[in-house]
Amino acid sequence: MADTILRLWENASMVEPIPPITLPPARNPQQEGKWLREALQGWLDQEFIPERVNQQIAERAAQIFVRQRMEGENDLGALVIAIVTEMEAFDFSESFFSQFAIANAVSDLLLDSLGIDRCCGQ
């Protein structure tokens, strides 16, 4: 049993990590933010039901995204962490979502826009 576990651990440690995904440098962060706000609100409305809070969530996430992009952040992982961290202060009590669902949705929307397969990072 111990040999099996050791072999599994050795095989797992040999797996290549998924390389970071870097967005192209922002040319127009405000336009990116507008796109993200609209796309995210559409996703939120489609997932459950259209609610006013979805607009507020999308607006806040887009603000965080735009600020991060204006500060030169291009790493998708760092953008997702920033959204999770800063959305902690948002009141999700009127929503079915959490800051984690929002950050994941933003990541999925961005990956889709770049033509990157969400499953395998390619």
Side-chain angles (χ1 to χ4, degrees):
M1 177 84 167
D3 284 344
T4 302
I5 293 173
L6 181 58
R7 271 183 270 143
L8 288 172
W9 181 81
E10 287 173 346
N11 289 338
S13 66
M14 298 172 83
V15 174
E16 292 291 318
I18 296 173
I21 296 172
T22 304
L23 303 179
R27 292 187 180 177
N28 188 340
Q30 297 300 331
Q31 184 178 12
E32 287 183 19
K34 181 179 186 274
W35 169 83
L36 180 61
R37 181 180 43 79
E38 291 171 358
L40 182 58
Q41 184 173 347
W43 181 86
L44 291 165
D45 288 346
Q46 204 170 31
E47 281 298 300
F48 287 104
I49 58 173
E51 299 179 295
R52 177 156 168 67
V53 70
N54 292 349
Q55 179 182 3
Q56 296 165 348
I57 292 169
E59 181 64 36
R60 182 66 187 123
Q63 288 171 351
I64 296 165
F65 177 80
V66 167
R67 191 184 73 254
Q68 290 291 316
R69 294 288 278 158
M70 289 177 71
E71 292 175 0
E73 188 59 70
N74 297 324
D75 181 78
L76 182 59
L79 290 165
V80 167
I81 290 170
I83 290 170
V84 167
T85 302
E86 294 189 40
M87 290 294 291
E88 284 180 356
F90 188 87
D91 179 10
F92 283 97
S93 64
E94 296 180 24
S95 174
F96 292 104
F97 301 100
S98 70
Q99 69 267 24
F100 298 102
I102 302 309
N104 285 333
V106 167
S107 175
D108 287 349
L109 291 168
L110 290 169
L111 290 173
D112 287 348
S113 76
L114 295 170
I116 297 174
D117 183 1
R118 290 185 252 156
C119 164
C120 306
Q122 299 178 5

mmCIF file of all heavy atoms in Angstrom, residues 6-25:
data_model
loop_
_atom_site.group_PDB
_atom_site.id
_atom_site.type_symbol
_atom_site.label_atom_id
_atom_site.label_comp_id
_atom_site.label_asym_id
_atom_site.label_seq_id
_atom_site.Cartn_x
_atom_site.Cartn_y
_atom_site.Cartn_z
ATOM 1 N N LEU A 6 3.387 5.971 -2.712
ATOM 2 C CA LEU A 6 4.634 6.640 -3.097
ATOM 3 C C LEU A 6 4.714 6.791 -4.615
ATOM 4 O O LEU A 6 5.069 7.855 -5.117
ATOM 5 C CB LEU A 6 5.840 5.861 -2.568
ATOM 6 C CG LEU A 6 7.208 6.460 -2.867
ATOM 7 C CD1 LEU A 6 7.305 7.877 -2.297
ATOM 8 C CD2 LEU A 6 8.308 5.586 -2.320
ATOM 9 N N ARG A 7 4.349 5.747 -5.386
ATOM 10 C CA ARG A 7 4.373 5.840 -6.836
ATOM 11 C C ARG A 7 3.385 6.884 -7.351
ATOM 12 O O ARG A 7 3.680 7.639 -8.265
ATOM 13 C CB ARG A 7 4.075 4.479 -7.464
ATOM 14 C CG ARG A 7 5.354 3.666 -7.662
ATOM 15 C CD ARG A 7 5.082 2.372 -8.345
ATOM 16 N NE ARG A 7 4.825 1.454 -7.225
ATOM 17 C CZ ARG A 7 3.938 0.481 -7.207
ATOM 18 N NH1 ARG A 7 3.197 0.248 -8.248
ATOM 19 N NH2 ARG A 7 3.777 -0.279 -6.164
ATOM 20 N N LEU A 8 2.199 6.927 -6.746
ATOM 21 C CA LEU A 8 1.214 7.945 -7.137
ATOM 22 C C LEU A 8 1.749 9.344 -6.866
ATOM 23 O O LEU A 8 1.606 10.248 -7.675
ATOM 24 C CB LEU A 8 -0.111 7.729 -6.401
ATOM 25 C CG LEU A 8 -0.927 6.529 -6.838
ATOM 26 C CD1 LEU A 8 -2.108 6.346 -5.895
ATOM 27 C CD2 LEU A 8 -1.405 6.688 -8.264
ATOM 28 N N TRP A 9 2.372 9.524 -5.720
ATOM 29 C CA TRP A 9 2.925 10.832 -5.364
ATOM 30 C C TRP A 9 4.050 11.218 -6.319
ATOM 31 O O TRP A 9 4.116 12.349 -6.787
ATOM 32 C CB TRP A 9 3.422 10.825 -3.921
ATOM 33 C CG TRP A 9 3.963 12.162 -3.516
ATOM 34 C CD1 TRP A 9 3.254 13.246 -3.104
ATOM 35 C CD2 TRP A 9 5.325 12.566 -3.515
ATOM 36 N NE1 TRP A 9 4.091 14.298 -2.854
ATOM 37 C CE2 TRP A 9 5.371 13.913 -3.091
ATOM 38 C CE3 TRP A 9 6.510 11.925 -3.825
ATOM 39 C CZ2 TRP A 9 6.558 14.618 -2.981
ATOM 40 C CZ3 TRP A 9 7.697 12.634 -3.708
ATOM 41 C CH2 TRP A 9 7.701 13.970 -3.289
ATOM 42 N N GLU A 10 4.924 10.264 -6.643
ATOM 43 C CA GLU A 10 6.026 10.546 -7.563
ATOM 44 C C GLU A 10 5.491 10.924 -8.943
ATOM 45 O O GLU A 10 5.985 11.846 -9.577
ATOM 46 C CB GLU A 10 6.962 9.343 -7.663
ATOM 47 C CG GLU A 10 7.814 9.143 -6.430
ATOM 48 C CD GLU A 10 8.613 7.842 -6.476
ATOM 49 O OE1 GLU A 10 8.315 6.970 -7.329
ATOM 50 O OE2 GLU A 10 9.524 7.712 -5.648
ATOM 51 N N ASN A 11 4.478 10.206 -9.424
ATOM 52 C CA ASN A 11 3.887 10.519 -10.721
ATOM 53 C C ASN A 11 3.215 11.882 -10.708
ATOM 54 O O ASN A 11 3.307 12.635 -11.656
ATOM 55 C CB ASN A 11 2.888 9.445 -11.143
ATOM 56 C CG ASN A 11 3.573 8.150 -11.530
ATOM 57 O OD1 ASN A 11 4.758 8.142 -11.869
ATOM 58 N ND2 ASN A 11 2.843 7.056 -11.466
ATOM 59 N N ALA A 12 2.529 12.196 -9.616
ATOM 60 C CA ALA A 12 1.849 13.488 -9.513
ATOM 61 C C ALA A 12 2.851 14.629 -9.484
ATOM 62 O O ALA A 12 2.608 15.695 -10.036
ATOM 63 C CB ALA A 12 0.959 13.523 -8.277
ATOM 64 N N SER A 13 3.990 14.407 -8.840
ATOM 65 C CA SER A 13 4.980 15.478 -8.752
ATOM 66 C C SER A 13 5.691 15.714 -10.077
ATOM 67 O O SER A 13 6.337 16.728 -10.257
ATOM 68 C CB SER A 13 5.993 15.184 -7.644
ATOM 69 O OG SER A 13 6.761 14.042 -7.976
ATOM 70 N N MET A 14 5.551 14.798 -11.027
ATOM 71 C CA MET A 14 6.191 14.950 -12.322
ATOM 72 C C MET A 14 5.291 15.649 -13.334
ATOM 73 O O MET A 14 5.713 15.930 -14.444
ATOM 74 C CB MET A 14 6.602 13.575 -12.848
ATOM 75 C CG MET A 14 7.621 12.888 -11.946
ATOM 76 S SD MET A 14 7.940 11.201 -12.425
ATOM 77 C CE MET A 14 9.140 11.454 -13.709
ATOM 78 N N VAL A 15 4.070 15.913 -12.966
ATOM 79 C CA VAL A 15 3.131 16.575 -13.863
ATOM 80 C C VAL A 15 3.548 18.029 -14.039
ATOM 81 O O VAL A 15 3.876 18.716 -13.075
ATOM 82 C CB VAL A 15 1.692 16.489 -13.297
ATOM 83 C CG1 VAL A 15 0.732 17.300 -14.135
ATOM 84 C CG2 VAL A 15 1.255 15.045 -13.200
ATOM 85 N N GLU A 16 3.522 18.476 -15.280
ATOM 86 C CA GLU A 16 3.888 19.854 -15.577
ATOM 87 C C GLU A 16 2.792 20.807 -15.110
ATOM 88 O O GLU A 16 1.615 20.558 -15.361
ATOM 89 C CB GLU A 16 4.091 20.037 -17.082
ATOM 90 C CG GLU A 16 5.301 19.320 -17.629
ATOM 91 C CD GLU A 16 6.592 19.925 -17.156
ATOM 92 O OE1 GLU A 16 6.696 21.165 -17.114
ATOM 93 O OE2 GLU A 16 7.504 19.158 -16.818
ATOM 94 N N PRO A 17 3.158 21.878 -14.436
ATOM 95 C CA PRO A 17 2.137 22.848 -14.041
ATOM 96 C C PRO A 17 1.579 23.569 -15.264
ATOM 97 O O PRO A 17 2.246 23.671 -16.300
ATOM 98 C CB PRO A 17 2.899 23.826 -13.136
ATOM 99 C CG PRO A 17 4.324 23.693 -13.557
ATOM 100 C CD PRO A 17 4.485 22.265 -14.046
ATOM 101 N N ILE A 18 0.358 24.026 -15.137
ATOM 102 C CA ILE A 18 -0.251 24.800 -16.216
ATOM 103 C C ILE A 18 0.433 26.161 -16.249
ATOM 104 O O ILE A 18 0.536 26.824 -15.217
ATOM 105 C CB ILE A 18 -1.767 24.960 -15.995
ATOM 106 C CG1 ILE A 18 -2.437 23.589 -16.045
ATOM 107 C CG2 ILE A 18 -2.375 25.892 -17.032
ATOM 108 C CD1 ILE A 18 -3.892 23.598 -15.668
ATOM 109 N N PRO A 19 0.930 26.566 -17.402
ATOM 110 C CA PRO A 19 1.621 27.860 -17.466
ATOM 111 C C PRO A 19 0.632 29.002 -17.205
ATOM 112 O O PRO A 19 -0.562 28.883 -17.476
ATOM 113 C CB PRO A 19 2.159 27.918 -18.892
ATOM 114 C CG PRO A 19 1.345 26.943 -19.665
ATOM 115 C CD PRO A 19 0.865 25.900 -18.700
ATOM 116 N N PRO A 20 1.136 30.100 -16.664
ATOM 117 C CA PRO A 20 0.250 31.241 -16.421
ATOM 118 C C PRO A 20 -0.306 31.783 -17.729
ATOM 119 O O PRO A 20 0.323 31.652 -18.791
ATOM 120 C CB PRO A 20 1.151 32.275 -15.741
ATOM 121 C CG PRO A 20 2.541 31.859 -16.056
ATOM 122 C CD PRO A 20 2.515 30.383 -16.326
ATOM 123 N N ILE A 21 -1.483 32.345 -17.636
ATOM 124 C CA ILE A 21 -2.117 32.944 -18.817
ATOM 125 C C ILE A 21 -1.979 34.450 -18.693
ATOM 126 O O ILE A 21 -2.392 35.040 -17.696
ATOM 127 C CB ILE A 21 -3.590 32.526 -18.925
ATOM 128 C CG1 ILE A 21 -3.655 31.009 -19.139
ATOM 129 C CG2 ILE A 21 -4.290 33.279 -20.047
ATOM 130 C CD1 ILE A 21 -5.027 30.422 -19.082
ATOM 131 N N THR A 22 -1.367 35.040 -19.698
ATOM 132 C CA THR A 22 -1.122 36.470 -19.696
ATOM 133 C C THR A 22 -1.988 37.131 -20.758
ATOM 134 O O THR A 22 -1.966 36.726 -21.920
ATOM 135 C CB THR A 22 0.368 36.757 -19.972
ATOM 136 O OG1 THR A 22 1.146 36.053 -19.009
ATOM 137 C CG2 THR A 22 0.660 38.242 -19.876
ATOM 138 N N LEU A 23 -2.743 38.129 -20.344
ATOM 139 C CA LEU A 23 -3.558 38.892 -21.283
ATOM 140 C C LEU A 23 -2.661 39.852 -22.056
ATOM 141 O O LEU A 23 -1.623 40.298 -21.546
ATOM 142 C CB LEU A 23 -4.619 39.703 -20.532
ATOM 143 C CG LEU A 23 -5.585 38.933 -19.636
ATOM 144 C CD1 LEU A 23 -6.553 39.894 -18.966
ATOM 145 C CD2 LEU A 23 -6.340 37.896 -20.420
ATOM 146 N N PRO A 24 -3.057 40.192 -23.268
ATOM 147 C CA PRO A 24 -2.294 41.219 -23.983
ATOM 148 C C PRO A 24 -2.348 42.529 -23.191
ATOM 149 O O PRO A 24 -3.309 42.762 -22.446
ATOM 150 C CB PRO A 24 -3.026 41.367 -25.314
ATOM 151 C CG PRO A 24 -4.045 40.287 -25.371
ATOM 152 C CD PRO A 24 -4.208 39.713 -24.007
ATOM 153 N N PRO A 25 -1.333 43.364 -23.315
ATOM 154 C CA PRO A 25 -1.370 44.653 -22.605
ATOM 155 C C PRO A 25 -2.652 45.415 -22.942
ATOM 156 O O PRO A 25 -3.145 45.352 -24.074
ATOM 157 C CB PRO A 25 -0.140 45.399 -23.127
ATOM 158 C CG PRO A 25 0.769 44.324 -23.626
ATOM 159 C CD PRO A 25 -0.118 43.213 -24.115
#
